[in-house]
PDB file of all heavy atoms in Angstrom:
ATOM      1  N   GLY A 867      14.631 -23.344 -25.048  1.00 66.00           N
ATOM      2  CA  GLY A 867      14.844 -21.893 -25.015  1.00 66.00           C
ATOM      3  C   GLY A 867      13.565 -21.121 -25.311  1.00 66.00           C
ATOM      4  O   GLY A 867      13.271 -20.108 -24.681  1.00 66.00           O
ATOM      5  N   ASP A 868      12.801 -21.596 -26.287  1.00 75.00           N
ATOM      6  CA  ASP A 868      11.536 -20.954 -26.617  1.00 75.00           C
ATOM      7  C   ASP A 868      10.531 -21.069 -25.476  1.00 75.00           C
ATOM      8  O   ASP A 868       9.799 -20.130 -25.167  1.00 75.00           O
ATOM      9  CB  ASP A 868      10.936 -21.553 -27.887  1.00 75.00           C
ATOM     10  CG  ASP A 868      11.746 -21.236 -29.132  1.00 75.00           C
ATOM     11  OD1 ASP A 868      12.541 -20.263 -29.078  1.00 75.00           O
ATOM     12  OD2 ASP A 868      11.599 -21.959 -30.139  1.00 75.00           O
ATOM     13  N   ALA A 869      10.495 -22.248 -24.849  1.00 74.00           N
ATOM     14  CA  ALA A 869       9.570 -22.459 -23.730  1.00 74.00           C
ATOM     15  C   ALA A 869       9.931 -21.568 -22.553  1.00 74.00           C
ATOM     16  O   ALA A 869       9.058 -20.988 -21.906  1.00 74.00           O
ATOM     17  CB  ALA A 869       9.581 -23.931 -23.312  1.00 74.00           C
ATOM     18  N   ALA A 870      11.223 -21.445 -22.284  1.00 75.00           N
ATOM     19  CA  ALA A 870      11.663 -20.591 -21.180  1.00 75.00           C
ATOM     20  C   ALA A 870      11.347 -19.129 -21.483  1.00 75.00           C
ATOM     21  O   ALA A 870      10.931 -18.368 -20.594  1.00 75.00           O
ATOM     22  CB  ALA A 870      13.156 -20.768 -20.934  1.00 75.00           C
ATOM     23  N   GLY A 871      11.521 -18.732 -22.727  1.00 78.00           N
ATOM     24  CA  GLY A 871      11.204 -17.357 -23.116  1.00 78.00           C
ATOM     25  C   GLY A 871       9.717 -17.071 -22.995  1.00 78.00           C
ATOM     26  O   GLY A 871       9.313 -16.002 -22.546  1.00 78.00           O
ATOM     27  N   ALA A 872       8.898 -18.031 -23.397  1.00 83.00           N
ATOM     28  CA  ALA A 872       7.450 -17.860 -23.290  1.00 83.00           C
ATOM     29  C   ALA A 872       7.023 -17.784 -21.832  1.00 83.00           C
ATOM     30  O   ALA A 872       6.191 -16.951 -21.464  1.00 83.00           O
ATOM     31  CB  ALA A 872       6.733 -19.011 -23.990  1.00 83.00           C
ATOM     32  N   ALA A 873       7.604 -18.641 -20.984  1.00 83.00           N
ATOM     33  CA  ALA A 873       7.284 -18.610 -19.552  1.00 83.00           C
ATOM     34  C   ALA A 873       7.710 -17.290 -18.938  1.00 83.00           C
ATOM     35  O   ALA A 873       6.976 -16.696 -18.125  1.00 83.00           O
ATOM     36  CB  ALA A 873       7.957 -19.774 -18.837  1.00 83.00           C
ATOM     37  N   GLY A 874       8.873 -16.807 -19.326  1.00 85.00           N
ATOM     38  CA  GLY A 874       9.346 -15.512 -18.821  1.00 85.00           C
ATOM     39  C   GLY A 874       8.429 -14.377 -19.244  1.00 85.00           C
ATOM     40  O   GLY A 874       8.160 -13.459 -18.468  1.00 85.00           O
ATOM     41  N   GLY A 875       7.929 -14.439 -20.463  1.00 87.00           N
ATOM     42  CA  GLY A 875       7.004 -13.420 -20.948  1.00 87.00           C
ATOM     43  C   GLY A 875       5.686 -13.433 -20.199  1.00 87.00           C
ATOM     44  O   GLY A 875       5.126 -12.385 -19.869  1.00 87.00           O
ATOM     45  N   ILE A 876       5.202 -14.626 -19.898  1.00 91.00           N
ATOM     46  CA  ILE A 876       3.940 -14.749 -19.146  1.00 91.00           C
ATOM     47  C   ILE A 876       4.120 -14.222 -17.732  1.00 91.00           C
ATOM     48  O   ILE A 876       3.269 -13.503 -17.216  1.00 91.00           O
ATOM     49  CB  ILE A 876       3.456 -16.213 -19.152  1.00 91.00           C
ATOM     50  CG1 ILE A 876       3.010 -16.606 -20.570  1.00 91.00           C
ATOM     51  CG2 ILE A 876       2.325 -16.423 -18.151  1.00 91.00           C
ATOM     52  CD1 ILE A 876       2.739 -18.081 -20.761  1.00 91.00           C
ATOM     53  N   ILE A 877       5.241 -14.562 -17.105  1.00 92.00           N
ATOM     54  CA  ILE A 877       5.515 -14.070 -15.747  1.00 92.00           C
ATOM     55  C   ILE A 877       5.633 -12.549 -15.745  1.00 92.00           C
ATOM     56  O   ILE A 877       5.103 -11.878 -14.855  1.00 92.00           O
ATOM     57  CB  ILE A 877       6.779 -14.741 -15.177  1.00 92.00           C
ATOM     58  CG1 ILE A 877       6.491 -16.215 -14.902  1.00 92.00           C
ATOM     59  CG2 ILE A 877       7.253 -14.046 -13.909  1.00 92.00           C
ATOM     60  CD1 ILE A 877       7.707 -17.043 -14.547  1.00 92.00           C
ATOM     61  N   ALA A 878       6.304 -11.996 -16.738  1.00 92.00           N
ATOM     62  CA  ALA A 878       6.430 -10.540 -16.831  1.00 92.00           C
ATOM     63  C   ALA A 878       5.064  -9.881 -17.019  1.00 92.00           C
ATOM     64  O   ALA A 878       4.784  -8.834 -16.427  1.00 92.00           O
ATOM     65  CB  ALA A 878       7.362 -10.175 -17.983  1.00 92.00           C
ATOM     66  N   LEU A 879       4.206 -10.485 -17.815  1.00 94.00           N
ATOM     67  CA  LEU A 879       2.863  -9.944 -18.035  1.00 94.00           C
ATOM     68  C   LEU A 879       2.047  -9.980 -16.748  1.00 94.00           C
ATOM     69  O   LEU A 879       1.361  -9.003 -16.407  1.00 94.00           O
ATOM     70  CB  LEU A 879       2.155 -10.728 -19.145  1.00 94.00           C
ATOM     71  CG  LEU A 879       0.759 -10.243 -19.507  1.00 94.00           C
ATOM     72  CD1 LEU A 879       0.821  -8.822 -20.057  1.00 94.00           C
ATOM     73  CD2 LEU A 879       0.118 -11.180 -20.515  1.00 94.00           C
ATOM     74  N   ILE A 880       2.120 -11.084 -16.009  1.00 94.00           N
ATOM     75  CA  ILE A 880       1.403 -11.190 -14.730  1.00 94.00           C
ATOM     76  C   ILE A 880       1.915 -10.135 -13.758  1.00 94.00           C
ATOM     77  O   ILE A 880       1.135  -9.472 -13.069  1.00 94.00           O
ATOM     78  CB  ILE A 880       1.540 -12.608 -14.149  1.00 94.00           C
ATOM     79  CG1 ILE A 880       0.765 -13.606 -15.006  1.00 94.00           C
ATOM     80  CG2 ILE A 880       1.069 -12.667 -12.696  1.00 94.00           C
ATOM     81  CD1 ILE A 880       1.043 -15.068 -14.679  1.00 94.00           C
TER      82      ILE A 880
END
Side-chain angles (χ1 to χ4, degrees):
D868 292 340
I876 291 170
I877 290 171
L879 182 63
I880 291 169

